[in-house]
Amino acid sequence: LGTQLHAKLPVLGGLVDRLPSGVLHFPGIEAAVNANQVGGSLAFVVPLLVALSAYSLCHEYRRWWVLLGTLIVTGIVLLVFVAAQSRASLAGFALALIFMLLFNWRWGRFLLGVGTLASLASAPFLPWKQLLTLVVGNGNALEPLEPVVGSISLTGRMEIWTRAIYGIQDFPFTGMGLGTFRKIVHLLYPLFTIAPDRDLGHAHDFFLQTALDFGLPGLVAVVAIYTVVVIALVREWKCERGKERAWAIGLLGSLIAQTTFSLVDTVAMGARTNFLWWYLMALALAAAIRRPGEAEEGATHASPLRENPL
């Protein structure tokens, strides 16, 4: 309700017009909530919700109350996610869906193959001219690809990334400090394509922003967390079946969606919704260590009972 929605994609214009936009104002937030931040934040959870909904449809249809609740929650979150029209998060969600369909179940691979064939068959009938105009803009050299990446063009983001690299070179060990890039960038590294009064909340790249906030040691720590979580989820996906495997697939999909979004935009460590990043990592590690711990504990308590039931 506090998000300012704009019709970026023509096919979603009717949907956005029917949704309330920016009707609530929260303390500490001068303007409406940025739609790209909403889309990027929901990218943490949407693939997981889709995976759990698919599992419920296949295996929990008898527990209709669980299925109904899961579908309602997923539908509401997915509606807001699509209405935010964050292209980076939508691209990440698409990659996550491909991954989940390809590596989840046989029917998923079949569905992915059918969708690919249908896309190839419909390619000659698509309005390619309008799609190319949407991607490359109207030919203005100052705004190529602007509809793809949001309010700041791809050229502007590349300039921001170069300034971020300069900042990392100047503050390699300690970083600038959490949330200080928005002030320091205009003082030490002026931008040419972006006005000096433009508030840049972050470097539009999660990994660059992490290095700016905490230095290269902080970036190494974040990459280490990613590595541990990916290894844990892959092992969980290979070893488990049923609902545990659905959790592993959904968490991997959320990680893919979030990482894809983070390459061209970011929910920075200092952002209010960044707790979802830590929550995603905690869920992934909890899913990976829960069952082996329970199995070991069960075996420890079961052995004495088998030897001496009394």
Side-chain angles (χ1 to χ4, degrees), residues 159-168 181 185 189-192:
E159 188 179 19
I160 294 173
W161 295 335
T162 59
R163 300 305 189 272
I165 294 174
Y166 295 155
I168 296 171
F181 175 75
V185 64
Y189 318 106
L191 298 154
F192 300 110

Side-chain angles (χ1 to χ4, degrees), residues 123-162:
F125 306 99
L126 294 176
W128 290 107
K129 185 176 181 180
Q130 289 81 355
L131 293 176
L132 289 175
T133 302
L134 179 64
V135 172
V136 302
N138 296 321
N140 190 336
L142 295 179
E143 55 181 20
L145 298 180
E146 183 168 351
V148 176
V149 293
S151 59
I152 298 179
S153 66
L154 182 61
T155 303
R157 296 194 181 209
M158 293 179 66
E159 188 179 19
I160 294 173
W161 295 335
T162 59

